[in-house]
Amino acid sequence: MARGEGAEQYAASLLSVKPINTEIKTVKPKEQRNRLSVWSKLCYAIGGAPYQITGSALGFFLQIYLLDVAQLDPSHASIILFVGRAWDAITDPTVGFLVSRSRWTGIGRMMPWILFSTPFAVLTYFLIWYVPPFEQGKVVWYLIFYCLFQSMQTCFHVPYSALTMFISSDQKERDSATAYRMMVEVLGTVLGTAIQGQIVGGASNCPTEPEVIDSRNSTRINMSSVTLDETKQAYLIASGVICIIYVLCATILFLGVKEQKETGRKKSQPLTFRQGLWLVMSHEPYIKLVIGFLFTSLAFMLLEGNFALFITYALGHRKDFQNILLVIMLSGTLTIPLWQWFLTRFGKKTAVYFGMSWAVPFMILIISIESNLIISYLVAVAAGVSVAAAFLLPWSMLPDVVDDFKVRNPDIHGHEALFYSFYVFFIKFASGVSLGISTLSLKFAGYVTGACLQPEAVSLTLKVLVSPVPVVLIAVGLLILKTYPIDEERRQGNRKLLQEILDSETDSESETSALGSSV
């Protein structure tokens, strides 16, 4: 209101109405205005679980599913993974653009997107894990339903991410809600990994002792048709369970979170797509944050996408790969509160340096020593610590960039979703390229679909994909994040300025409402 036309004169005229002004301030203290209940934070956090549950299941298991269960050629699998992620990346800014132009409804501006996308996301997710009874159109089948699911998931997740800015106007409350969200999301990855891994894990008749198999003919020994059918059924059961959880989480989010309408502010005029792109790309802190986390996220996505194959074929822990993945996620879940305390105590940039670099020695260790199950579990525990930081920090720092933009562009409002959608766009597009290239590299290394053992070149390729390449990407990302300009002093300054603006606008609106009532 204070920034609308004629607001200054109108607010000045209200100064004479002192009795009303005093009454309003006593009834509605500033400290209680933006406080969120624990229940609201939990319901908000639970809404983030579907994205992580499905994401962890797809991230850890889709590649090995396409190669060993659907039995697609590695080159076809790489096309599905790349095109699916690239399509997903394109839909993010598109949905973000549409969300930014959405009108306020009775249930909010973000909630309708979340509500109506859920049933379609559930249906398409289930069909990804169904092996069709024909051979010729398999690639098209997976490509269509993978892309459709990514589109529906985007219609859920982009508004949900932007909802952070609309559950409270207090940055401290938003940071607290983000910590709740990160905890639940990491629990979601644990749940997704546990459901998918424990239901489908070990459904293979491949012998665990290497000497049982003739090394010359090892690549020709495939799973029996009975075991393959059972594995297909196990994947369907796992996807059905995840679909039920998806619907429950979306329902809790809808019933438990009230989206707050911006008070006293008018949205800017709708922007074209090009204007929206220029808006976010011209903000220097946003660019540096996105590029820095682009490299670090790529490192962990490469690790995630290839780790199941690495454990199975390079380390030889075929019967334990799902348990090792579960240990990584459990370790990440338990250390989320540690990183939340660390970033509060030492600052977010310091937390980035420590959190991202923590995993590097263990990435090097896992390929430097001879395969050992105990060492593999220890490395999994240590890797989970960095996974927690990789989950928490980007989403904790993005609201700081949006706040910084608001301080420097006080007349532009209502475009928060653009910042989140373009960030996700770059991350997903790059991850699609990396996953496509990594799967294609397995093709060149001689990967044989459905085989119990793979050639030595495949083992070497997997080692490169889970250690040297991620280590280099983390190093580059941290060098870029070193130039990120929003330190704790600037962040606190932005917080104070925004709170002052909000308080003045809310007070003006309260006084205006009170004057209208008295008249």
Side-chain angles (χ1 to χ4, degrees), residues 21 77 83 97 125 139 246 284 358 386-387 418 425 453 514-515:
N21 187 25
V83 174
F97 174 71
Y125 178 79
V139 176
Y246 194 118
E284 181 194 358
W358 173 265
S386 276
V387 168
L418 291 175
F425 164 76
L453 292 180
L515 182 61

Side-chain angles (χ1 to χ4, degrees), residues 359-372:
V360 170
F362 301 100
M363 289 180 182
I364 297 171
L365 177 66
I366 194 69
I367 66 165
S368 302
I369 62 171
E370 198 171 329
S371 176
N372 183 291

Side-chain angles (χ1 to χ4, degrees), residues 408-427:
R408 278 148 185 76
N409 301 272
D411 297 323
I412 300 178
H413 307 296
H415 305 298
E416 292 84 357
L418 291 175
F419 287 90
Y420 288 89
S421 60
F422 276 108
Y423 168 74
V424 178
F425 164 76
F426 289 116
I427 298 299

Side-chain angles (χ1 to χ4, degrees), residues 12-25:
S13 69
L14 293 175
L15 293 177
S16 57
V17 195
K18 292 183 181 177
I20 295 174
N21 187 25
T22 309
E23 183 186 352
I24 293 298
K25 288 198 173 183

Side-chain angles (χ1 to χ4, degrees), residues 156-265:
F156 182 102
H157 192 249
V158 168
Y160 173 76
S161 299
L163 190 63
T164 309
M165 306 301 295
F166 298 98
I167 56 174
S168 175
S169 53
D170 188 294
Q171 188 188 58
K172 196 171 181 180
E173 289 297 300
R174 292 203 306 261
D175 283 347
S176 175
T178 299
Y180 275 79
R181 171 188 166 187
M182 291 303 110
M183 173 68 80
V184 172
E185 286 193 354
V186 177
L187 281 171
T189 64
V190 173
L191 197 57
T193 307
I195 292 170
Q196 197 83 3
Q198 299 304 314
I199 292 178
V200 308
S204 168
N205 67 338
C206 288
T208 55
E209 297 297 327
E211 58 268 18
V212 176
I213 303 172
D214 182 0
S215 60
R216 296 195 177 197
N217 300 317
S218 61
T219 58
R220 301 300 174 195
I221 299 177
N222 295 338
M223 289 187 290
S224 67
S225 59
V226 175
T227 303
L228 186 58
D229 288 340
E230 290 175 352
T231 305
K232 290 176 183 178
Q233 187 178 12
Y235 272 99
L236 277 179
I237 293 170
S239 65
V241 173
I242 287 175
C243 287
I244 292 170
I245 296 172
Y246 194 118
V247 173
L248 288 175
C249 291
T251 304
I252 291 171
L253 172 67
F254 174 69
L255 296 177
V257 176
K258 181 174 174 58
E259 185 178 341
Q260 296 183 6
K261 192 172 184 179
E262 285 189 303
T263 55
R265 292 188 173 191

